[in-house]
Amino acid sequence: MNAHTSDVAFTPTVKAIQARKGSRQAYARVEERGGWQAAITPDLAAFIEAQTSVFLSTANADGQPYIQHRGGPAGFLKVLDERTIGFADFSGNRQFITQGNLSDNPQAFLFLIDYAHRQRIKIWGKAQVVEGDAELTARLMPQDYKARPEQVILFTVSAWDSNCSQHIPQRFEAADVAAALGERDKRIERLEQEIARLRSDAAARE
């Protein structure tokens, strides 16, 4: 049986369930066309680097899963090449569960969701923690961001897939809403000034 990129998620057990529930044929056609992608495309890179939030999933040696949120300004996630994503890991509660899990089990998963555009991306791969690399840390640290980098996490992509927008609530970043409201207020002010001018001109002609 030929291996497919999606086999990272579609195990024999998953495929058996898909067959039982009627979706295997459709996914088999996807696999025939090449399956999911492994390389980071320019469109995916742009999506990744526009995000301000990501969920990183790991599991320990016993398979116990853990999900950790990471956030920062747009661009804190950086695409280093077509298979590698890197980010500065900021100092937090110092539990180091993610680092411990990755020490025992490098398999990892990234989940990115853009609520405003109702889009989500799933990325499978392996991750490693890099400590003591000042040059790499400086390269990945967002400019003027007030956080202390503890270390760096490098994520090597094995496969990625995008989900449909179904059931994703549409939400907007507070900064984007504030900017939109600011533009609205400026437009209202300009229109009010124009109305006042027209009234003044009309009164002068009476």
Side-chain angles (χ1 to χ4, degrees):
M1 183 179 294
N2 294 331
H4 301 284
T5 308
S6 55
D7 286 347
V8 68
F10 293 167
T11 63
T13 302
V14 171
K15 290 179 181 181
I17 295 172
Q18 290 174 348
R20 179 167 60 84
K21 295 198 171 187
S23 62
R24 175 92 287 265
Q25 188 174 8
Y27 285 117
R29 287 196 294 269
V30 173
E31 292 167 351
E32 290 170 1
R33 294 194 297 269
W36 298 344
Q37 297 189 65
I40 299 172
T41 62
D43 286 346
L44 177 61
F47 179 86
I48 290 171
E49 295 190 342
Q51 301 312 302
T52 59
S53 181
V54 65
F55 294 94
L56 171 63
S57 175
T58 59
N60 63 22
D62 295 326
Q64 177 63 46
Y66 179 71
I67 295 177
Q68 178 66 59
H69 173 263
R70 290 291 186 267
F76 88 99
L77 291 172
K78 287 187 170 57
V79 175
L80 302 180
D81 57 49
E82 66 174 11
R83 296 294 294 272
T84 310
I85 302 166
F87 60 92
D89 193 23
F90 307 132
S91 180
N93 58 19
R94 302 181 65 79
Q95 291 181 342
F96 302 117
I97 297 174
T98 295
Q99 184 169 0
N101 286 354
L102 291 176
S103 297
D104 293 333
N105 180 0
Q107 301 290 344
F109 178 85
L110 291 177
F111 183 80
L112 300 97
I113 184 164
D114 183 336
Y115 288 101
H117 298 95
R118 302 179 69 229
Q119 185 177 5
R120 52 190 167 187
I121 300 290
K122 304 176 295 186
I123 308 176
W124 288 261
K126 294 183 178 181
Q128 61 174 314
V129 175
V130 179
E131 298 181 277
D133 190 327
E135 182 178 350
L136 181 60
T137 300
R139 179 183 176 187
L140 295 176
M141 187 64 193
Q143 187 174 8
D144 300 324
Y145 188 58
K146 298 187 182 303
R148 185 176 71 83
E150 180 89 38
Q151 53 214 2
V152 161
I153 292 182
L154 296 179
F155 188 98
T156 302
V157 176
S158 299
W160 65 272
D161 182 41
S162 59
N163 274 115
C164 68
S165 61
Q166 189 176 23
H167 307 306
I168 300 177
Q170 193 167 41
R171 300 172 181 170
F172 299 94
E173 295 284 342
D176 294 336
V177 173
L181 291 176
E183 288 299 317
R184 180 207 62 183
D185 292 344
K186 289 178 182 178
R187 178 172 173 77
I188 290 173
E189 183 180 1
R190 289 195 299 269
L191 290 172
E192 288 178 339
Q193 290 174 349
E194 179 65 12
I195 291 170
R197 184 187 65 78
L198 292 172
R199 285 176 174 171
S200 177
D201 291 347
R205 288 195 297 268
E206 291 180 354

